[in-house]
């Protein structure tokens, strides 16, 4: 067992004890129920620019947050000081706040019977030695490789991040559990061109440092993407098929996540209100969630309320099977919580077993979108309008890069008009989807 592993095991025990102490203090101060979350993280962040160190930051952070309930009255407090005295003061502050808040019928802990009873080892903890020079060398190497390529004008920086930590959650149902995690990343941003400069990037992220892509691989991708954008032009306004590259496709489906999340639903501010059991995607498309995938960034044995995460179908044959509900949203909607406090867990999206090149051939003429800009998405109505850049496609081949355009439509129509999804899946995304081909969208250009 490594020294980091031994240290983390000890820290996990200490944090569980701190959570237990906070919960005991909540009872002592008269709370009818309480929940505590606590986390500690250690890591390093390094960035270089043109071969020089730009930032080198080492951090060791920790914080405790507590919510107490007196009936349906709730109070919150937090502290970064994890001494018993500071925890006790924070608990007392939360109780004092709950004394003066209004009762909320939906407030309270998640149901006791839904608390996690199985805490599998999901292989989420792979820390590495945080010796700064190795990270400086990796970032510098990535930049050096990229800058040596013809056509690359400058670097906008390379960065390496490596962090590990532990999270513990507990409540007065008697639940106190936690687990350690790690996360590492390497990225490189480049600039090319003279009169018309273009910028693009590449990155790698992994739970295990040894599974990061090499500096050569990241640099090569960043170079290829940046150079491919040179001599971009505008296109005429049109209505054509659109392919969302895998790097932006997960964001497109992220709007679907928002639309079926409890907060938007109980406020009646979602374009998918009352859509449970309805067809929202084509019949061939399904989405399955698996929160217990080993070594996956979206994996977790329990959610932020201690609820057991579980495999479930989100979409079956195009039909919406479930909403994503915290316990609060579930009470608001007279439904059961789904274990999504804190987010989703590894969505596996049906693909059409086609490469992106094959999707392009299938499309024939249209737009391949590789970058999206702006926040022109209305979750209430589904109206979608965003700045975009990418490539114009003619006769099933990339013709030239394009920029300064806007793509628009309505998300209900966009989802229903998905024709195919590529097999170019990035397993590091919480939403594992390939490139998405949509039948038709409005393109605003010249």
């Amino acid at each position: 067992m490594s020294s980091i592993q031994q240290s983390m095991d000890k820290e996990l025990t200490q944090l569980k004890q701190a959570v237990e102490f906070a919960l005991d203090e909540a009872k002592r101060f008269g709370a009818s129920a309480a929940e505590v979350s606590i986390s500690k993280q250690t890591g390093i962040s390094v960035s270089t620019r043109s071969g020089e160190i730009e930032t080198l930051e080492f951090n060791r952070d920790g914080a405790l947050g507590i919510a107490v309930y007196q009936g349906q009255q709730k109070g919150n407090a937090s502290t970064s000081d994890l001494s018993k005295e500071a925890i006790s003061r924070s608990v007392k502050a939360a109780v004092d706040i709950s004394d003066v808040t209004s009762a909320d019928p939906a407030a309270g802990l998640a149901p006791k019977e839904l608390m996690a009873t199985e805490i599998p080892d999901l292989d989420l903890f792979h820390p590495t030695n945080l010796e700064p020079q190795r990270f400086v060398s990796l970032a510098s190497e990535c930049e050096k490789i990229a800058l040596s390529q013809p056509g690359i004008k400058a670097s906008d920086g390379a960065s390496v991040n490596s962090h590990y930590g532990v999270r513990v959650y507990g409540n007065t149902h008697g639940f106190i559990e936690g687990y350690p995690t790690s996360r590492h990343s390497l990225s490189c941003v480049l600039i090319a061109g003279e009169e018309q400069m273009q910028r693009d990037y590449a990155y790698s992220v992994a739970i295990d440092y040894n599974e990061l892509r090499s500096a050569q691989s990241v640099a090569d991708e960043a170079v290829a993407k940046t150079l491919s954008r040179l001599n971009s032009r505008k296109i005429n306004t049109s209505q054509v098929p659109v392919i969302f590259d895998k790097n932006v496709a997960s964001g497109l489906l992220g709007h679907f996540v928002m639309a079926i999340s409890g907060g938007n639903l109980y406020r009646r501010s979602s374009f998918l209100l009352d859509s449970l059991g309805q067809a929202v995607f084509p019949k061939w498309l399904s989405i399955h969630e698996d929160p217990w995938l080993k070594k996956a960034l979206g994996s977790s044995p329990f959610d932020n309320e201690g609820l057991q995460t579980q495999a479930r179908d989100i979409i079956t044959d195009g039909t919406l099977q479930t909403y994503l509900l915290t316990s609060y949203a579930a009470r608001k909607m007279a439904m059961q919580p789904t274990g999504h406090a804190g987010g989703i867990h590894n969505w596996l999206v049906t693909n059409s077993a086609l490469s992106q090149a094959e999707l392009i051939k299938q499309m024939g003429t249209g737009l391949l979108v590789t970058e999206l800009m702006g926040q022109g998405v209305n979750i209430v109505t589904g109206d979608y309008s965003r700045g975009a850049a990418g490539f114009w496609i003619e006769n099933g081949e990339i013709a030239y890069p394009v920029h300064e355009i806007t793509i628009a439509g309505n998300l209900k129509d966009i989802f229903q008009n998905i024709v195919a999804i590529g097999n170019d899946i990035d397993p590091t995304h919480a939403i594992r989807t390939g490139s998405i081909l949509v039948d038709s969208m409005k393109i605003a250009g010249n």
Side-chain angles (χ1 to χ4, degrees):
M1 181 183 293
S2 70
S3 59
I4 295 177
Q5 179 70 62
Q6 290 176 324
S7 174
M8 191 55 61
D9 289 345
K10 182 179 179 181
E11 191 153 70
L12 179 58
T13 299
Q14 291 172 341
L15 295 185
K16 284 184 177 181
Q17 291 170 347
V19 168
E20 185 175 17
F21 174 76
L23 294 172
D24 288 342
E25 287 292 275
K27 294 175 186 175
R28 184 170 74 85
F29 287 122
S32 58
E35 56 186 335
V36 177
S37 60
I38 189 170
S39 63
K40 267 199 168 182
Q41 187 180 74
T42 300
I44 190 169
S45 298
V46 172
S47 65
T48 61
R49 189 186 298 266
S50 301
E52 299 292 331
I53 297 175
E54 189 167 57
T55 61
L56 197 165
E57 299 176 352
F58 184 87
N59 69 280
R60 182 170 172 78
D61 303 322
L64 176 147
I66 182 163
V68 301
Y69 302 89
Q70 297 195 71
Q72 262 63 56
Q73 294 173 258
K74 180 181 179 182
N76 291 291
S78 62
T79 177
S80 57
D81 182 349
L82 301 184
S83 68
K84 285 189 173 182
E85 293 78 9
I87 291 174
S88 183
R89 287 195 300 270
S90 295
V91 173
K92 180 63 165 60
V95 172
D96 290 343
I97 292 169
S98 70
D99 285 337
V100 296
T101 58
S102 300
D104 183 342
L109 302 179
K112 183 175 182 178
E113 66 274 14
L114 298 181
M115 290 293 112
T117 56
E118 187 177 357
I119 313 296
D121 179 5
L122 300 178
D123 201 17
L124 303 178
F125 188 55
H126 292 270
T128 190
N129 178 10
L130 299 181
E131 200 282 313
Q133 188 54 50
R134 66 193 298 231
F135 301 113
V136 172
S137 297
L138 180 60
S140 297
E141 179 188 3
C142 193
E143 263 200 313
K144 183 178 179 181
I145 293 170
L147 289 170
S148 69
Q149 302 305 304
I152 298 300
K153 180 180 180 66
S155 166
D156 205 17
S159 64
V160 180
N161 295 277
S162 179
H163 292 82
Y164 63 85
V166 61
R167 166 186 165 237
V168 175
Y169 171 85
N171 59 37
T172 46
H173 287 324
F175 179 90
I176 301 179
E177 291 291 348
Y179 57 93
T181 60
S182 59
R183 183 184 179 97
H184 317 277
S185 65
L186 166 65
S187 65
C188 183
V189 185
L190 302 174
I191 298 170
E194 295 296 337
E195 292 183 7
Q196 182 204 89
M197 291 193 293
Q198 294 289 345
R199 179 177 181 272
D200 217 319
Y201 70 96
Y203 72 96
S204 176
V205 61
I207 280 175
D208 188 339
Y209 182 82
N210 295 317
E211 293 179 3
L212 282 178
R213 289 164 52 200
S214 67
Q216 181 78 55
S217 173
V218 172
D220 287 348
E221 182 186 349
V223 168
K225 289 172 67 176
T226 306
L227 293 179
S228 71
R229 297 181 63 161
L230 291 177
N231 302 313
S232 291
R233 49 178 116 160
K234 297 180 182 179
I235 54 176
N236 293 328
T237 296
S238 57
Q239 184 97 17
V240 295
V242 171
I243 292 175
F244 289 81
D245 179 79
K246 66 177 181 180
N247 292 320
V248 293
S250 59
L252 178 67
L253 293 181
H255 303 311
F256 168 64
V257 174
M258 292 180 63
I260 64 170
S261 293
N264 287 321
L265 293 167
Y266 77 73
R267 295 184 184 94
R268 304 191 68 80
S269 57
S270 168
F271 69 93
L272 290 180
L273 194 67
D274 302 322
S275 291
L276 200 61
Q278 303 297 311
V280 295
F281 287 99
K283 190 172 178 59
W284 59 266
L285 195 155
S286 296
I287 300 174
H288 180 73
E289 182 174 60
D290 188 348
W292 289 10
L293 289 178
K294 295 282 184 112
K295 260 189 183 180
L297 289 162
S299 291
S300 178
F302 56 87
D303 77 349
N304 288 356
E305 297 182 307
L307 294 186
Q308 187 85 69
T309 55
Q310 56 185 289
R312 67 176 71 230
D313 291 325
I314 307 298
I315 295 290
T316 301
D317 299 331
T319 300
L320 180 61
Q321 302 297 312
T322 182
Y323 292 140
L324 310 177
L325 305 179
T326 63
S327 60
Y328 185 87
R331 291 188 189 102
K332 284 282 193 179
M333 300 174 66
M335 299 177 76
Q336 284 279 80
T338 59
H340 288 96
I344 62 172
H345 313 284
N346 303 321
W347 279 17
L348 313 179
V349 183
T350 302
N351 72 74
S352 306
L354 299 173
S355 66
Q356 186 184 90
E358 290 171 320
L359 283 186
I360 288 172
K361 286 190 180 299
Q362 179 175 332
M363 179 171 67
T365 297
L367 180 69
L368 168 62
V369 174
T370 58
E371 182 181 11
L372 291 166
M373 295 150 276
Q375 303 297 322
V377 182
N378 189 326
I379 293 299
V380 179
T381 64
D383 289 337
Y384 182 94
S385 178
R386 299 191 67 185
F391 299 89
W392 183 250
I393 307 299
E394 288 183 358
N395 300 317
E397 301 287 344
I398 292 177
Y400 48 83
V402 297
H403 66 169
E404 296 180 9
I405 57 173
T406 299
I407 59 173
N410 185 277
L411 286 168
K412 266 193 175 182
D413 297 330
I414 292 170
F415 293 155
Q416 287 281 8
N417 292 328
I418 293 176
V419 174
I421 297 179
N423 60 9
D424 53 333
I425 298 165
D426 184 348
T428 64
H429 282 294
I431 301 176
R432 298 189 177 194
T433 178
S435 299
I436 294 176
L437 170 58
V438 178
D439 182 56
S440 180
M441 290 185 70
K442 180 79 170 179
I443 312 298
N446 289 324

